[in-house]
Amino acid sequence: MRPRSLALLAGVLLTGALAAAPASAADGAGAGTGDKGFTIKDPRIAESSGLAASHLHPGIYWTHNDSGDGPYIYAVDSATGRTVARITLSGVGTPRDVEAISIGPDNQIYVGDIGDNLDGSWPYVWIYRLPEPKKLVDQTVRATQYVVKYANGARNAESLVVHPKTGRVYIIDKKEDGGHLYEGPATLSPSGTNIFRPVAAVDLWATDAAFSPDGTQLAVRGYFGGIYYDWNGGKIKREGRLDVPLQKQGESITYSADGTRLMYGSEGADSPVQAEDVPGGSGKASPSGGGGSAAGSDGGSSPSAGAKVGAVAVGVAVLALLGLRRLRRPSARRH
């Protein structure tokens, strides 16, 4: 979550860069065909802030709005971009700042009400868990609510991931100069407080993250770049950069159900979900390739039209970061 004025600023700054960028495979003839990308067409979804590929329904992606919507998640058909079901969560309080969604073992959906735009104002945050519905119709599903605290004090976060093999829940906090991966208890308690502890540094101003379906890779994205890590049993090892597309406000990432594509989402009305190949294969991101402004350097590239677009993106990023600093200072004093 960020000040609403940041969304307007980023949108204005990125308009020129997007217009100059060449169309990707996700933007052309492949649009609306599942793993090749689609556009969210539901006018109720104006602040899509998380994304997760369905385990039960091929071609369906779960998403949700940022703050101010209610206890809802939406099933979007990637073939059409249209919502096929809105699920109302019961058994939970009023969501405050929902920022992430992930699906773990046994088709359990986890929703992260973990945002804190004032960066440490809330002494606790929440996670909601519910079974993925077997039928895609508007319905109410009872969820379990978990109270979460961090071992080293309150913080803002937008990334929640559930390991697909162990079911353990992790959160990455959102820090401009890089955050940390926080590990939750082996089993979440619905009655007590769940303490999340930092276990590894993450070299990114993270807005979302996702596990590969086999649990061996962790992808983390920010507004202007991304990094992928070898999971390595939780002792994450940085492998390279992700080919993160230029988006007005990049807030979400998920692997496709078959693990071959990374799907990137953005906030805004009629927001696009763009697809890129996963790292490690033909036409995929590699340690020497670039697609983002992650901390550190993984190599260079030859001068090209893509490089020119990259230069535009970097300039946009710098302007947005400067604007954010100005925006965040006064907001931190509001209550």
Side-chain angles (χ1 to χ4, degrees):
M1 177 65 179
R2 70 281 144 256
R4 189 170 299 275
S5 50
L6 173 60
L8 297 174
L9 173 65
V12 170
L13 292 172
L14 275 169
T15 297
L18 287 168
S24 70
D27 299 323
T33 55
D35 292 348
K36 293 183 180 179
F38 59 97
T39 297
I40 296 175
K41 298 179 180 178
D42 190 336
R44 297 173 298 180
I45 307 173
E47 291 189 309
S48 176
S49 193
L51 201 64
S54 171
H55 285 191
L56 296 180
H57 309 285
I60 297 297
Y61 285 83
W62 292 97
T63 190
H64 55 81
N65 280 307
D66 205 318
S67 57
D69 185 20
Y72 309 121
I73 60 174
Y74 301 81
V76 179
D77 184 354
S78 61
T80 64
R82 301 189 182 281
T83 298
V84 293
R86 184 175 81 164
I87 307 303
T88 303
L89 281 61
S90 68
V92 303
T94 302
R96 190 163 51 199
D97 192 353
V98 179
E99 292 288 355
I101 188 168
S102 182
I103 303 181
D106 302 320
N107 306 319
Q108 296 292 305
I109 298 176
Y110 292 75
V111 180
D113 191 356
I114 56 176
D116 184 347
N117 197 38
L118 301 184
D119 204 19
S121 296
W122 310 120
Y124 57 85
V125 292
W126 300 303
I127 294 172
Y128 314 125
R129 178 179 60 84
L130 67 153
E132 182 173 9
K134 294 180 179 179
K135 293 184 178 181
L136 292 178
V137 295
D138 289 357
Q139 59 188 290
T140 298
V141 177
R142 186 165 187 82
T144 302
Q145 179 169 309
Y146 302 99
V147 174
V148 169
K149 289 187 177 183
Y150 301 96
N152 54 352
R155 59 205 54 250
N156 186 30
E158 295 189 1
S159 311
L160 176 145
V161 290
V162 183
H163 195 274
K165 303 300 182 183
T166 68
R168 198 156 196 160
V169 183
Y170 298 83
I171 293 172
I172 301 172
D173 63 341
K174 184 182 181 184
K175 292 289 186 181
E176 188 173 337
D177 56 353
H180 284 81
L181 177 74
Y182 284 78
E183 181 181 73
T187 302
L188 294 179
S189 168
S191 57
T193 299
N194 297 275
I195 305 299
F196 278 61
R197 305 180 186 281
V199 294
V202 173
D203 305 325
L204 196 71
W205 193 20
T207 61
D208 202 11
F211 275 118
S212 60
D214 63 5
T216 63
Q217 193 175 86
L218 175 68
V220 186
R221 77 160 298 171
Y223 291 121
F224 306 105
I227 301 172
Y228 67 97
Y229 295 88
D230 176 15
W231 179 241
N232 192 30
K235 298 178 180 179
I236 58 175
K237 178 183 177 183
R238 177 173 171 154
E239 294 293 329
R241 295 182 181 182
L242 295 173
D243 273 329
V244 178
L246 290 173
Q247 294 178 313
K248 288 187 176 181
Q249 185 148 354
E251 292 275 348
S252 58
I253 186 174
T254 188
Y255 285 80
S256 59
D258 65 3
T260 63
R261 306 280 269 172
L262 277 166
M263 313 295 288
Y264 296 92
S266 176
E267 285 197 4
D270 295 318
S271 59
V273 175
Q274 296 170 261
E276 298 288 346
D277 291 324
V278 298
S282 176
K284 300 174 185 178
S286 65
S288 62
S293 55
S297 175
D298 294 303
S301 59
S302 60
S304 65
K308 294 176 183 177
V309 172
V312 173
V314 170
V316 170
V318 171
L319 290 171
L321 291 175
L322 291 173
L324 177 63
R325 290 191 185 99
R326 296 189 183 100
L327 288 167
R328 287 176 66 187
R329 290 191 186 106
S331 67
R333 293 193 292 268
R334 292 198 296 267
H335 296 283

